[in-house]
Amino acid sequence: MPSRPREVRCPGYRRRDPTQSLLYELLREHLETFLAELDAHPGLALPRFVKRELRGFLECGVLAHGFARVHCTSCARDSLVAFSCKGRGFCPSCGGRRMSATAAHLVDHVLPETPIRQWVFTLPFSLRLRCAFDHELLAFVRRIFTRVVFSYLARQARAKALPSGALGFRSGAVNIVQRAGGSLNLNPHFHAVFIDGVYTRATLLGPARFHELPAPEPADVDWTLARIHSRLRSLFERCIDTEQEFESRETNELLLHLASASVHGQAATGDGNGRALPGLFTPEPDPRPERDSPKPSCSLVLLRIGRRATRFNK
Ligand SMILES: [Zn+2]
Ligand SMILES: [Zn+2]
């Protein structure tokens, strides 16, 4: 009896169904009522960009809101691919896809074949709310963090008596702002991958040569953190408003209230408004202004990633 040819199965495209998730059900049930209630109170409306993100999530990946028809030449099947919202702040699907695409781009086209180390820098509670609202300030903080780590790497290279060549010691980094902490609390902080060494050139147009550096010791991390801290302190003393000026400048009171509650781990609405939420995370017991703090309350976490960054599947 002739054997039947094996069926060639193409994995094809499996459509996700966002409408089955708890988050989707929650928003579908309550979003418009919630927004209408807020709109009924003058001064409590959420900004347009927040409403746009939330409503966009309810349309993301749902065929009723538009789709493309794609054809697979291997199995000759057609599939419907729903349009996505391309949101940057709320939609888990679009956020996850952007994260994977960015990681694949960095690994394939940006990061060199050198050791890479991740540096994570977090801010004290007293600075988080301001940095979350003021992107120029956040950019300053990011620049300080990046430059100090570069100067640490150059210092290590000098300590090893490496020849600095025609252009001095150069390194490289990709520094990404993450706005949420582990409990989805508002916590702007930085995840950066740094080349774990320095490049030099013997002559101006000569080839770049890489020098690997030893892993940082706790004393090196202390040195780096103390330097970041002192620069941050002078930045904040020099060029930002007082707490009162900052709060009067921010016009959307509701957003500021929600953000402040999120930073400090407190309930923001209802009867429990202002109540601490210790189950989610434990904030500093009494957030004090940074200038009163004798010790740096920022923190640095380091992680060696290896000779190659881990590759994401595209
Ligand atoms: Zn196929
Ligand atoms: Zn989306």
Side-chain angles (χ1 to χ4, degrees):
M1 191 173 146
S3 64
R4 278 175 55 189
R6 237 178 81 222
E7 192 185 352
V8 180
R9 286 182 70 96
C10 168
Y13 166 72
R14 233 183 44 241
R15 203 175 77 77
R16 72 187 174 97
D17 185 1
T19 61
Q20 298 302 311
S21 76
L22 193 60
L23 185 62
Y24 189 92
E25 279 178 35
L26 189 76
L27 261 82
R28 183 177 53 197
E29 288 295 310
H30 301 291
L31 177 63
E32 290 306 329
T33 323
F34 175 64
L35 294 179
E37 279 177 15
L38 289 179
D39 284 341
H41 295 84
L44 275 190
L46 281 169
R48 262 213 314 258
F49 75 89
V50 177
K51 295 180 187 172
R52 196 173 53 230
E53 286 273 330
L54 294 173
R55 287 180 172 138
F57 167 71
L58 283 179
E59 297 185 355
C60 182
V62 178
L63 290 175
H65 295 288
F67 58 84
R69 184 175 195 139
V70 295
H71 179 75
C72 174
T73 49
S74 312
C75 66
R77 273 188 297 208
D78 284 359
S79 305
L80 302 183
V81 181
F83 294 148
S84 59
C85 71
K86 299 186 174 55
R88 303 184 77 91
F90 186 77
C91 175
S93 169
C94 291
R97 191 185 35 217
R98 182 170 286 113
M99 181 177 71
S100 302
T102 306
H105 169 70
L106 291 176
V107 171
D108 290 349
H109 304 291
V110 179
L111 297 175
E113 294 266 343
T114 61
I116 299 281
R117 187 177 301 277
Q118 179 178 200
W119 294 65
V120 180
F121 176 60
T122 63
L123 289 161
F125 278 79
S126 53
L127 304 183
R128 290 182 187 175
L129 189 59
R130 274 170 209 222
C131 286
F133 275 95
D134 188 338
H135 60 92
E136 277 178 26
L137 184 64
L138 194 65
F140 271 121
V141 175
R142 173 160 64 176
R143 207 170 308 150
I144 287 173
F145 166 40
T146 311
R147 286 183 180 172
V148 171
V149 177
F150 282 156
S151 67
Y152 157 73
L153 292 169
R155 183 174 178 257
Q156 291 293 87
R158 280 192 297 275
K160 274 186 77 180
L162 293 175
S164 61
L167 291 170
F169 301 114
R170 303 286 177 98
S171 193
V174 177
N175 198 338
I176 302 225
V177 177
Q178 192 163 335
R179 292 182 64 85
S183 311
L184 287 183
N185 51 314
L186 181 59
N187 173 11
H189 62 287
F190 305 91
H191 284 255
V193 285
F194 281 83
I195 293 171
D196 212 16
V198 289
Y199 284 94
T200 55
R201 283 178 198 271
T203 59
L204 213 56
L205 298 175
R209 184 168 163 226
F210 178 70
H211 310 268
E212 187 172 348
L213 291 171
E217 300 288 334
D220 299 322
V221 180
D222 283 350
W223 182 90
T224 310
L225 194 52
R227 221 170 160 84
I228 294 173
H229 184 254
S230 99
R231 292 195 186 178
L232 281 186
R233 177 171 287 203
S234 58
L235 167 74
F236 277 80
E237 282 172 356
R238 204 174 57 237
C239 69
I240 65 165
D241 312 332
T242 64
E243 200 75 37
Q244 290 76 19
E245 282 170 338
F246 165 68
E247 288 186 5
S248 64
R249 193 157 50 89
E250 182 50 52
T251 48
N252 193 298
E253 281 180 32
L254 177 63
L255 193 63
L256 186 64
H257 170 69
L258 294 173
S260 172
S262 180
V263 163
H264 298 299
Q266 295 166 342
T269 55
D271 296 338
N273 188 356
R275 186 171 44 86
L277 297 171
L280 280 181
F281 77 113
T282 315
E284 283 176 339
D286 178 21
R288 289 174 301 172
E290 181 62 4
R291 67 187 63 190
D292 296 344
S293 170
K295 280 195 337 203
S297 47
C298 332
S299 78
L300 268 177
V301 177
L302 270 67
L303 183 73
R304 173 70 174 266
I305 296 183
R307 299 204 76 80
R308 289 210 58 177
T310 310
R311 204 195 137 92
F312 279 74
N313 293 322
K314 273 196 268 196

